Amino acid sequence: MQNVFLKEDCDQFINRINQLKPDSNGLWGKMSVDQMLAHCNVSYEMVYEDIHPKPNGFMKFILKLLVKSKVVDDKPYPKNNQTAPQFIIKGNRDFETEKKRLISYPI
């Protein structure tokens, strides 16, 4: 399992991101490549920006109890799994903007 906190792994991720094109096909899911990049950016937005509302105390407890172990596990996410509303990307996004944003976040 690769780790987003290791420079070597991040370099591999960035190389893969740089190989994407606006018309690249996904391996699974329904998002276009620009939506997928925006989807990946949501995690960083939650950490580095104040865009998405923070969960209240009760919701934090539920997330920690039921979701955390699945999110931080080494097993890949199953296909057709539900996602949190803030990760659902609707409409088109600017491919180059989303790509640059994803690459620019710090390790």
Side-chain angles (χ1 to χ4, degrees), residues 46-80:
M46 291 177 153
V47 173
Y48 296 112
E49 301 173 27
D50 195 21
I51 295 175
H52 304 282
K54 306 285 187 239
N56 63 29
F58 176 72
M59 186 55 81
K60 280 184 187 178
F61 173 74
I62 295 297
L63 290 171
K64 198 178 246 185
L65 188 68
L66 301 175
V67 178
K68 183 179 178 183
S69 63
K70 293 176 182 164
V71 171
V72 297
D73 193 6
D74 281 342
K75 290 187 285 185
Y77 294 141
K79 293 183 180 183
N80 300 319

Tab-separated table of all heavy atoms in Angstrom, residues 46-80:
chain	number	residue	atom	x	y	z
A	46	MET	N	-10.486	19.490	2.884
A	46	MET	CA	-10.939	19.310	4.268
A	46	MET	C	-9.819	19.600	5.267
A	46	MET	O	-10.081	20.053	6.364
A	46	MET	CB	-11.472	17.893	4.472
A	46	MET	CG	-12.749	17.626	3.758
A	46	MET	SD	-13.240	15.916	3.995
A	46	MET	CE	-14.988	16.073	3.803
A	47	VAL	N	-8.594	19.340	4.866
A	47	VAL	CA	-7.452	19.544	5.755
A	47	VAL	C	-6.917	20.966	5.661
A	47	VAL	O	-6.676	21.615	6.676
A	47	VAL	CB	-6.323	18.531	5.434
A	47	VAL	CG1	-5.072	18.838	6.237
A	47	VAL	CG2	-6.795	17.113	5.702
A	48	TYR	N	-6.722	21.466	4.434
A	48	TYR	CA	-5.993	22.716	4.238
A	48	TYR	C	-6.877	23.934	3.978
A	48	TYR	O	-6.388	25.059	4.007
A	48	TYR	CB	-5.009	22.562	3.067
A	48	TYR	CG	-3.937	21.548	3.338
A	48	TYR	CD1	-3.881	20.350	2.633
A	48	TYR	CD2	-2.972	21.769	4.312
A	48	TYR	CE1	-2.891	19.415	2.885
A	48	TYR	CE2	-1.981	20.835	4.578
A	48	TYR	CZ	-1.948	19.667	3.855
A	48	TYR	OH	-0.973	18.734	4.114
A	49	GLU	N	-8.147	23.740	3.679
A	49	GLU	CA	-9.034	24.851	3.367
A	49	GLU	C	-10.294	24.738	4.213
A	49	GLU	O	-10.606	23.684	4.736
A	49	GLU	CB	-9.368	24.844	1.874
A	49	GLU	CG	-8.122	24.951	0.992
A	49	GLU	CD	-8.434	24.781	-0.489
A	49	GLU	OE1	-9.560	25.084	-0.901
A	49	GLU	OE2	-7.542	24.335	-1.222
A	50	ASP	N	-11.000	25.821	4.326
A	50	ASP	CA	-12.235	25.824	5.126
A	50	ASP	C	-13.439	25.891	4.192
A	50	ASP	O	-14.217	26.828	4.229
A	50	ASP	CB	-12.221	27.002	6.102
A	50	ASP	CG	-13.263	26.860	7.186
A	50	ASP	OD1	-13.711	25.731	7.440
A	50	ASP	OD2	-13.645	27.885	7.767
A	51	ILE	N	-13.571	24.880	3.342
A	51	ILE	CA	-14.628	24.861	2.330
A	51	ILE	C	-15.821	24.016	2.786
A	51	ILE	O	-16.965	24.408	2.621
A	51	ILE	CB	-14.092	24.313	0.992
A	51	ILE	CG1	-13.030	25.260	0.439
A	51	ILE	CG2	-15.205	24.109	-0.012
A	51	ILE	CD1	-12.349	24.749	-0.813
A	52	HIS	N	-15.541	22.879	3.370
A	52	HIS	CA	-16.589	21.921	3.711
A	52	HIS	C	-16.935	22.021	5.194
A	52	HIS	O	-16.059	22.163	6.037
A	52	HIS	CB	-16.115	20.501	3.372
A	52	HIS	CG	-15.697	20.363	1.950
A	52	HIS	ND1	-16.590	20.248	0.915
A	52	HIS	CD2	-14.465	20.353	1.372
A	52	HIS	CE1	-15.933	20.170	-0.224
A	52	HIS	NE2	-14.647	20.231	0.035
A	53	PRO	N	-18.228	21.925	5.520
A	53	PRO	CA	-18.626	22.007	6.932
A	53	PRO	C	-18.048	20.848	7.739
A	53	PRO	O	-17.969	19.713	7.267
A	53	PRO	CB	-20.156	21.946	6.893
A	53	PRO	CG	-20.504	21.388	5.552
A	53	PRO	CD	-19.358	21.693	4.629
A	54	LYS	N	-17.629	21.155	8.939
A	54	LYS	CA	-17.084	20.129	9.839
A	54	LYS	C	-18.251	19.386	10.502
A	54	LYS	O	-19.278	19.976	10.825
A	54	LYS	CB	-16.225	20.776	10.936
A	54	LYS	CG	-15.126	21.685	10.412
A	54	LYS	CD	-13.980	20.887	9.839
A	54	LYS	CE	-12.835	21.797	9.475
A	54	LYS	NZ	-12.451	21.763	8.106
A	55	PRO	N	-18.107	18.071	10.716
A	55	PRO	CA	-19.176	17.326	11.386
A	55	PRO	C	-19.288	17.725	12.860
A	55	PRO	O	-18.293	18.078	13.494
A	55	PRO	CB	-18.745	15.864	11.240
A	55	PRO	CG	-17.299	15.900	10.914
A	55	PRO	CD	-17.003	17.231	10.309
A	56	ASN	N	-20.524	17.669	13.366
A	56	ASN	CA	-20.727	17.974	14.788
A	56	ASN	C	-20.223	16.807	15.647
A	56	ASN	O	-19.787	15.788	15.129
A	56	ASN	CB	-22.202	18.291	15.063
A	56	ASN	CG	-23.118	17.114	14.770
A	56	ASN	OD1	-22.721	15.960	14.883
A	56	ASN	ND2	-24.352	17.392	14.398
A	57	GLY	N	-20.272	16.959	16.954
A	57	GLY	CA	-19.734	15.958	17.877
A	57	GLY	C	-20.333	14.574	17.697
A	57	GLY	O	-19.617	13.569	17.705
A	58	PHE	N	-21.650	14.510	17.549
A	58	PHE	CA	-22.319	13.221	17.378
A	58	PHE	C	-21.865	12.554	16.081
A	58	PHE	O	-21.555	11.352	16.056
A	58	PHE	CB	-23.841	13.398	17.390
A	58	PHE	CG	-24.589	12.121	17.130
A	58	PHE	CD1	-24.634	11.121	18.097
A	58	PHE	CD2	-25.211	11.905	15.916
A	58	PHE	CE1	-25.307	9.927	17.851
A	58	PHE	CE2	-25.883	10.722	15.659
A	58	PHE	CZ	-25.936	9.734	16.628
A	59	MET	N	-21.809	13.336	15.004
A	59	MET	CA	-21.407	12.780	13.715
A	59	MET	C	-19.947	12.338	13.742
A	59	MET	O	-19.597	11.303	13.166
A	59	MET	CB	-21.637	13.798	12.599
A	59	MET	CG	-21.385	13.225	11.226
A	59	MET	SD	-22.335	11.730	10.862
A	59	MET	CE	-23.891	12.418	10.419
A	60	LYS	N	-19.092	13.074	14.443
A	60	LYS	CA	-17.687	12.655	14.594
A	60	LYS	C	-17.606	11.296	15.275
A	60	LYS	O	-16.835	10.428	14.879
A	60	LYS	CB	-16.904	13.685	15.417
A	60	LYS	CG	-16.468	14.882	14.664
A	60	LYS	CD	-15.634	15.764	15.576
A	60	LYS	CE	-15.309	17.076	14.921
A	60	LYS	NZ	-14.545	17.966	15.782
A	61	PHE	N	-18.425	11.118	16.316
A	61	PHE	CA	-18.454	9.848	17.038
A	61	PHE	C	-18.881	8.707	16.117
A	61	PHE	O	-18.248	7.644	16.084
A	61	PHE	CB	-19.395	9.952	18.245
A	61	PHE	CG	-19.607	8.644	18.954
A	61	PHE	CD1	-18.607	8.112	19.763
A	61	PHE	CD2	-20.793	7.949	18.814
A	61	PHE	CE1	-18.796	6.891	20.405
A	61	PHE	CE2	-20.986	6.745	19.462
A	61	PHE	CZ	-19.986	6.213	20.267
A	62	ILE	N	-19.934	8.918	15.348
A	62	ILE	CA	-20.440	7.893	14.427
A	62	ILE	C	-19.397	7.571	13.362
A	62	ILE	O	-19.143	6.403	13.051
A	62	ILE	CB	-21.766	8.352	13.766
A	62	ILE	CG1	-22.867	8.498	14.815
A	62	ILE	CG2	-22.185	7.418	12.648
A	62	ILE	CD1	-23.245	7.211	15.516
A	63	LEU	N	-18.779	8.611	12.803
A	63	LEU	CA	-17.752	8.392	11.785
A	63	LEU	C	-16.581	7.601	12.348
A	63	LEU	O	-16.070	6.681	11.709
A	63	LEU	CB	-17.267	9.731	11.217
A	63	LEU	CG	-18.262	10.489	10.354
A	63	LEU	CD1	-17.745	11.891	10.047
A	63	LEU	CD2	-18.572	9.736	9.075
A	64	LYS	N	-16.162	7.960	13.539
A	64	LYS	CA	-15.040	7.258	14.168
A	64	LYS	C	-15.409	5.801	14.450
A	64	LYS	O	-14.610	4.889	14.231
A	64	LYS	CB	-14.669	7.966	15.476
A	64	LYS	CG	-13.309	7.628	16.005
A	64	LYS	CD	-13.023	8.409	17.260
A	64	LYS	CE	-11.900	9.368	17.011
A	64	LYS	NZ	-11.499	10.083	18.215
A	65	LEU	N	-16.623	5.582	14.904
A	65	LEU	CA	-17.079	4.250	15.268
A	65	LEU	C	-17.290	3.341	14.051
A	65	LEU	O	-16.860	2.184	14.048
A	65	LEU	CB	-18.388	4.357	16.067
A	65	LEU	CG	-18.935	3.098	16.691
A	65	LEU	CD1	-18.028	2.624	17.810
A	65	LEU	CD2	-20.334	3.363	17.234
A	66	LEU	N	-17.926	3.868	13.009
A	66	LEU	CA	-18.343	3.015	11.894
A	66	LEU	C	-17.509	3.145	10.622
A	66	LEU	O	-17.436	2.200	9.838
A	66	LEU	CB	-19.811	3.322	11.542
A	66	LEU	CG	-20.825	3.120	12.661
A	66	LEU	CD1	-22.199	3.574	12.220
A	66	LEU	CD2	-20.850	1.671	13.110
A	67	VAL	N	-16.891	4.283	10.395
A	67	VAL	CA	-16.273	4.531	9.095
A	67	VAL	C	-14.752	4.513	9.140
A	67	VAL	O	-14.107	4.023	8.216
A	67	VAL	CB	-16.773	5.879	8.515
A	67	VAL	CG1	-16.124	6.192	7.196
A	67	VAL	CG2	-18.289	5.873	8.381
A	68	LYS	N	-14.163	5.027	10.194
A	68	LYS	CA	-12.715	5.219	10.238
A	68	LYS	C	-11.942	3.948	9.927
A	68	LYS	O	-10.994	3.968	9.138
A	68	LYS	CB	-12.288	5.773	11.599
A	68	LYS	CG	-10.798	6.052	11.676
A	68	LYS	CD	-10.404	6.614	13.018
A	68	LYS	CE	-8.915	6.829	13.081
A	68	LYS	NZ	-8.497	7.310	14.391
A	69	SER	N	-12.323	2.834	10.510
A	69	SER	CA	-11.571	1.589	10.302
A	69	SER	C	-11.588	1.160	8.834
A	69	SER	O	-10.632	0.547	8.361
A	69	SER	CB	-12.128	0.481	11.181
A	69	SER	OG	-13.463	0.190	10.818
A	70	LYS	N	-12.650	1.493	8.109
A	70	LYS	CA	-12.726	1.125	6.691
A	70	LYS	C	-11.943	2.098	5.814
A	70	LYS	O	-11.398	1.708	4.790
A	70	LYS	CB	-14.182	1.080	6.248
A	70	LYS	CG	-14.946	-0.040	6.924
A	70	LYS	CD	-16.395	-0.027	6.565
A	70	LYS	CE	-17.078	-1.146	7.334
A	70	LYS	NZ	-18.495	-1.037	7.382
A	71	VAL	N	-11.882	3.336	6.215
A	71	VAL	CA	-11.207	4.357	5.411
A	71	VAL	C	-9.696	4.236	5.529
A	71	VAL	O	-8.974	4.426	4.550
A	71	VAL	CB	-11.684	5.773	5.818
A	71	VAL	CG1	-10.860	6.851	5.156
A	71	VAL	CG2	-13.155	5.951	5.491
A	72	VAL	N	-9.188	3.919	6.703
A	72	VAL	CA	-7.743	3.865	6.910
A	72	VAL	C	-7.170	2.448	6.809
A	72	VAL	O	-5.998	2.241	7.051
A	72	VAL	CB	-7.334	4.501	8.269
A	72	VAL	CG1	-7.692	5.959	8.299
A	72	VAL	CG2	-7.969	3.765	9.431
A	73	ASP	N	-7.987	1.493	6.397
A	73	ASP	CA	-7.545	0.107	6.247
A	73	ASP	C	-6.680	-0.037	4.997
A	73	ASP	O	-6.739	0.771	4.080
A	73	ASP	CB	-8.783	-0.795	6.128
A	73	ASP	CG	-8.466	-2.257	6.281
A	73	ASP	OD1	-7.321	-2.608	6.597
A	73	ASP	OD2	-9.385	-3.075	6.083
A	74	ASP	N	-5.857	-1.080	4.953
A	74	ASP	CA	-4.999	-1.347	3.801
A	74	ASP	C	-5.758	-1.950	2.622
A	74	ASP	O	-5.261	-1.953	1.506
A	74	ASP	CB	-3.860	-2.296	4.183
A	74	ASP	CG	-2.747	-1.583	4.921
A	74	ASP	OD1	-2.685	-0.343	4.841
A	74	ASP	OD2	-1.945	-2.265	5.584
A	75	LYS	N	-6.950	-2.463	2.868
A	75	LYS	CA	-7.724	-3.074	1.792
A	75	LYS	C	-8.251	-1.988	0.845
A	75	LYS	O	-8.673	-0.928	1.288
A	75	LYS	CB	-8.908	-3.859	2.352
A	75	LYS	CG	-8.503	-5.123	3.093
A	75	LYS	CD	-9.701	-5.953	3.474
A	75	LYS	CE	-10.402	-5.306	4.651
A	75	LYS	NZ	-11.506	-6.088	5.177
A	76	PRO	N	-8.260	-2.260	-0.465
A	76	PRO	CA	-8.827	-1.292	-1.416
A	76	PRO	C	-10.324	-1.105	-1.169
A	76	PRO	O	-11.002	-2.018	-0.683
A	76	PRO	CB	-8.592	-1.938	-2.776
A	76	PRO	CG	-7.617	-3.034	-2.555
A	76	PRO	CD	-7.703	-3.427	-1.119
A	77	TYR	N	-10.799	0.065	-1.506
A	77	TYR	CA	-12.240	0.321	-1.374
A	77	TYR	C	-12.998	-0.557	-2.362
A	77	TYR	O	-12.571	-0.722	-3.504
A	77	TYR	CB	-12.567	1.777	-1.684
A	77	TYR	CG	-12.000	2.773	-0.708
A	77	TYR	CD1	-11.499	3.977	-1.145
A	77	TYR	CD2	-11.970	2.526	0.653
A	77	TYR	CE1	-10.991	4.917	-0.266
A	77	TYR	CE2	-11.457	3.451	1.545
A	77	TYR	CZ	-10.974	4.640	1.081
A	77	TYR	OH	-10.472	5.563	1.946
A	78	PRO	N	-14.132	-1.106	-1.941
A	78	PRO	CA	-14.932	-1.897	-2.881
A	78	PRO	C	-15.618	-0.987	-3.907
A	78	PRO	O	-15.881	0.181	-3.639
A	78	PRO	CB	-15.954	-2.586	-1.985
A	78	PRO	CG	-15.995	-1.807	-0.732
A	78	PRO	CD	-14.683	-1.104	-0.598
A	79	LYS	N	-15.887	-1.544	-5.070
A	79	LYS	CA	-16.591	-0.793	-6.100
A	79	LYS	C	-18.047	-0.581	-5.683
A	79	LYS	O	-18.603	-1.351	-4.898
A	79	LYS	CB	-16.528	-1.533	-7.432
A	79	LYS	CG	-15.132	-1.586	-8.002
A	79	LYS	CD	-15.120	-2.256	-9.351
A	79	LYS	CE	-13.710	-2.301	-9.888
A	79	LYS	NZ	-13.640	-2.867	-11.216
A	80	ASN	N	-18.634	0.492	-6.217
A	80	ASN	CA	-20.041	0.838	-5.974
A	80	ASN	C	-20.338	1.099	-4.499
A	80	ASN	O	-21.449	0.867	-4.035
A	80	ASN	CB	-20.974	-0.240	-6.525
A	80	ASN	CG	-20.803	-0.416	-8.011
A	80	ASN	OD1	-20.666	0.550	-8.748
A	80	ASN	ND2	-20.776	-1.656	-8.452
